[in-house]
DNA sequence: GTGAAAGCGCTAACAC
DNA sequence: GTGTTAGCGCTTTCAC
């Protein structure tokens, strides 16, 4: 391993000059700097981040905890986090908690000692967040909690958009297929449903249990949805929507003719299905990027202008990203027989 | 931050005793150990990995570079890498190279200084691998190269299985839709095609260009496939297969009645489509896990029994994981009109 | 069985 | 503008 010492010896300067030449070039004489840089390159010198981090009290690493990497939603958020972190000079430890609250807690604890801060995406653990968030820089994605900075999308509004869309198509009985019990996003969607119910009393809504946020979940829910008598269904996410569509097809229920289906998130699978899903879109890469921005801002504050808190981006109001309804082919006019008599 | 010093003071011992009590409990008197451990827990002491790593010359971190996290293939491999690394006590830096060879090279260089070793999954960069692999512990996934340890699936055999399946269904003209130019997997599939051609001279094979390994790629390829006169098509991966199916449907070509489609990888999207895809399966989590095992073995060697090389798992023959043909509904008998006259 | 002390590679005062 | 030096938190000889 090449160290500052090697570079120093080889270029005839002291180790501090080497350090400066690389980190603060303007504080070193041009010719010295050029020589040092040249030697460093020739020797293939790479600063040891553990060492510089140890000195600086930072590791240069961030941690990201997600419930399931194979869920395209989290894959996209991870991609966004990762890209933005690279721009801010951080590497990202990515951890898959396997939808397991206990494991999640354990992982968060473990990550804290080797990162400068954490992004917890859709955490399933409840109490653990408290502990971790207390004395470590943490940003939550899709969960709001006390004074912990958080970034999320406007799920409730997304539900409202979907209901308005369905109502305009003549649907008067809409089912919602719920996600994981511990999911805050699910709670937000249900809240959106309440708003919709209040605003459009002519639309009945029924909610159907809580299901795994995967294709199987949708398959499991399909029969309940049919039995509910709804003419349209809003799914917890795109995967659930796809499961619904698949199972409905098997039962001979045509989508959208017999039943309109709306997904959530507009992950890439939404357009894979036939018919392509009408779904509520959020910019997931941006969600991840925003989380990193908040986190990095919080890190800066800790070391910088301290607890003023006035224009501190780390404690600024929670970010809520806008949503957009992508209308595709899985929704259409309500079946005539189910239209209310006029 | 709680340090060894705090624990030492609080429990009335020296810092070295604290260190031992936690790392080598047997070398410390039971009561001393218990006291130290109790204090450490009470204070919430977490060893600083940067510091211990600095001393030990290891970071406890591995790096994983993938071309695209949103591709379910890499999401699954990442999940496997991550799970296994946790078991071996390593954290994983995950980096998305965005299918960009130059960025990939840059990221590899950057990661080297903060990891003990790297897993490069389906690298698109060519020369850079050489550099990185030369003096850093590296394991390649889906690429074989010189003496660098590598793990891959038996793609060529997968192609053979697919062709045999199609041949048995009466297909005599099979198209292959190729993947990225820099993809070694693509080359392996073409090699499998050569073997199939030799073994079954009655089956004609045509290859169609190179396409992006995504749904759009499949859409772009669909018309060429139809024009080729093939009655069956083998796609570079499941996403491409789905793109094919989608575009074919739009053109009124029924899958599988008019054209049989075979995917590759059996990612979760394979069963999302209608019809569910016949595809070549590999255990992707296992692929990732094996890569970590190889890497960790290589790390051990570096620090341990040195260059004996006889039973060294780090330099053992390349791992090739078996494949399996998952027959679903996207393949069926060749259209009668295209069957050879008897 | 335990403590003192050296040092991993680096940066940041502090001198000159 | 450059060199010397003191640690960051930890592990690991080496004494006792």
């Amino acid at each position: 391993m090449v160290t500052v010492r090697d570079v120093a010896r080889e270029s005839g300067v002291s180790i501090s000059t080497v350090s400066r030449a690389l980190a603060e070039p303007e504080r070193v004489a041009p010719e010295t700097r050029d020589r040092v840089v040249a030697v460093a390159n020739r020797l293939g010198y790479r600063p040891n981040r553990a060492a510089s981090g140890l000195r600086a009290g930072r590791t240069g690493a961030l941690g990201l905890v997600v419930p399931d990497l194979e869920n395209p939603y989290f894959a996209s958020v991870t991609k966004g986090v990762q890209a933005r972190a690279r721009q801010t000079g951080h590497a990202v430890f990515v951890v898959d908690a396997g939808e397991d609250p206990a494991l999640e807690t354990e992982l968060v604890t473990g990550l804290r000692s080797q990162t400068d801060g954490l992004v917890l995406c859709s955490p399933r653990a409840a109490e653990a967040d408290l502990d971790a968030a207390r004395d470590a820089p943490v940003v939550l994605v899709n969960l709001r909690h006390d004074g912990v900075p958080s970034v999320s999308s406007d799920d409730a509004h997304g539900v409202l958009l979907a209901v308005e869309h369905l109502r305009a198509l003549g649907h008067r009985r809409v089912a919602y297929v719920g996600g994981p019990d511990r999911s805050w996003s699910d709670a937000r969607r249900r809240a959106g449903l309440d708003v919709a119910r209040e605003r459009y009393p002519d639309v009945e809504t029924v909610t159907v249990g809580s299901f795994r946020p995967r294709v199987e979940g949708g398959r499991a829910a399909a029969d309940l949805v049919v039995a509910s008598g709804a003419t349209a269904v809003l799914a917890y996410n795109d995967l659930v929507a796809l499961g619904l569509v698949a199972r409905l097809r098997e039962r001979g229920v045509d989508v959208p003719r017999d039943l309109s289906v709306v997904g959530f998130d507009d992950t890439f699978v939404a357009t894979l299905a036939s018919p392509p899903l009408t779904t509520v879109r959020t910019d997931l890469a941006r969600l991840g990027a925003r989380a990193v921005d908040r986190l990095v801002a919080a890190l800066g504050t800790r070391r910088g202008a301290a607890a003023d808190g006035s224009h501190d981006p780390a404690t600024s109001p929670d970010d809520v990203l806008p949503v957009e309804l992508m209308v595709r082919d899985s929704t259409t006019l309500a079946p005539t027989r189910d239209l209310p008599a006029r």
Side-chain angles (χ1 to χ4, degrees), chain A:
Chain A
M1 176 184 251
V2 185
T3 74
V4 269
R5 231 172 287 275
D6 299 318
V7 178
R9 185 173 353 94
E10 197 75 10
S11 46
V13 296
S14 74
I15 59 166
S16 39
T17 301
V18 173
S19 180
R20 274 187 223 111
L22 269 28
E24 311 164 281
E26 71 284 0
R27 289 192 48 197
V28 161
E31 59 258 30
T32 314
R33 166 165 45 77
D34 293 346
R35 185 154 36 94
V36 170
V37 170
V39 171
N41 284 334
R42 179 160 58 78
L43 266 43
Y45 169 72
R46 309 250 109 220
N48 178 324
R49 278 186 93 140
S52 73
L54 179 56
R55 190 69 237 276
R58 304 174 287 93
T59 64
L62 304 179
L64 170 66
V65 181
V66 296
D68 177 17
L69 272 173
E70 283 171 333
N71 182 327
Y73 181 93
F74 299 116
S76 294
V77 173
T78 301
K79 190 154 179 158
V81 164
Q82 205 266 133
R84 190 80 186 91
R86 179 160 62 240
Q87 294 171 358
T88 64
H90 295 265
V92 183
F93 284 118
V94 177
V95 176
D96 183 319
E99 297 275 359
D100 176 350
L103 178 57
E104 186 176 291
T105 307
E106 184 189 323
L107 293 170
V108 167
T109 312
L111 274 181
R112 283 194 40 202
S113 64
Q114 43 192 328
T115 55
D116 296 335
L118 299 180
V119 174
L120 306 185
C121 187
S122 305
R124 308 303 192 204
E127 314 310 310
D129 300 340
L130 297 170
D131 297 329
R134 229 177 260 310
D135 53 302
V138 167
V139 171
L140 300 173
V141 176
N142 287 333
L143 178 63
R144 245 171 284 171
H145 179 69
D146 298 355
V148 184
S150 119
V151 183
S152 52
S153 52
D154 197 350
D155 293 345
H157 185 62
V159 169
L160 193 61
L161 291 178
V163 171
E164 287 176 344
H165 168 67
L166 294 171
R167 179 167 176 274
L169 288 169
H171 296 275
R172 292 296 178 269
R173 191 170 169 83
V174 175
Y176 169 69
V177 175
D181 283 330
R182 316 233 35 167
S183 162
W184 185 80
S185 300
D186 184 61
R188 295 311 302 153
R189 281 159 214 195
R190 289 176 195 264
L193 223 48
D194 291 341
V195 173
R197 202 154 21 214
E198 197 162 320
R199 190 171 305 183
Y200 306 109
D202 56 340
V203 178
E204 274 184 287
T205 61
V206 295
T207 64
V208 178
S210 84
F211 292 90
R212 296 189 61 195
R214 311 186 62 149
V215 177
E216 310 87 84
R219 296 186 63 91
D223 303 305
L224 301 189
V225 170
V226 171
S228 78
T231 60
V233 54
L234 178 56
Y236 172 72
N237 69 13
D238 292 336
L239 292 177
V240 170
L242 291 179
L244 282 168
V245 170
R247 174 67 183 161
L248 290 171
R249 184 194 316 276
E250 288 172 15
R251 286 197 46 182
V253 178
D254 185 83
V255 175
R257 200 196 56 213
D258 304 328
L259 192 60
S260 287
V261 175
V262 179
F264 225 100
D265 300 336
D266 195 27
T267 50
F268 77 91
V269 297
T271 51
L272 285 187
S274 66
L277 290 178
T278 293
T279 186
V280 178
R281 172 177 176 72
T282 311
D283 187 337
L284 299 181
R286 190 171 154 219
L287 195 64
R290 282 295 297 160
V292 171
D293 286 339
R294 299 289 305 262
L295 187 53
V296 171
L299 296 180
T301 312
R302 298 227 158 192
R303 323 178 43 71
D308 172 6
S310 52
H311 274 283
D312 181 355
T315 55
S316 71
D318 293 324
D319 272 323
V320 177
L321 266 57
V323 295
E324 184 185 359
L325 185 70
M326 308 297 289
V327 176
R328 301 207 181 91
D329 302 343
S330 66
T331 48
T332 191
L333 291 173
T336 331
R337 64 176 186 281
D338 289 313
L339 277 179
R342 301 191 183 218

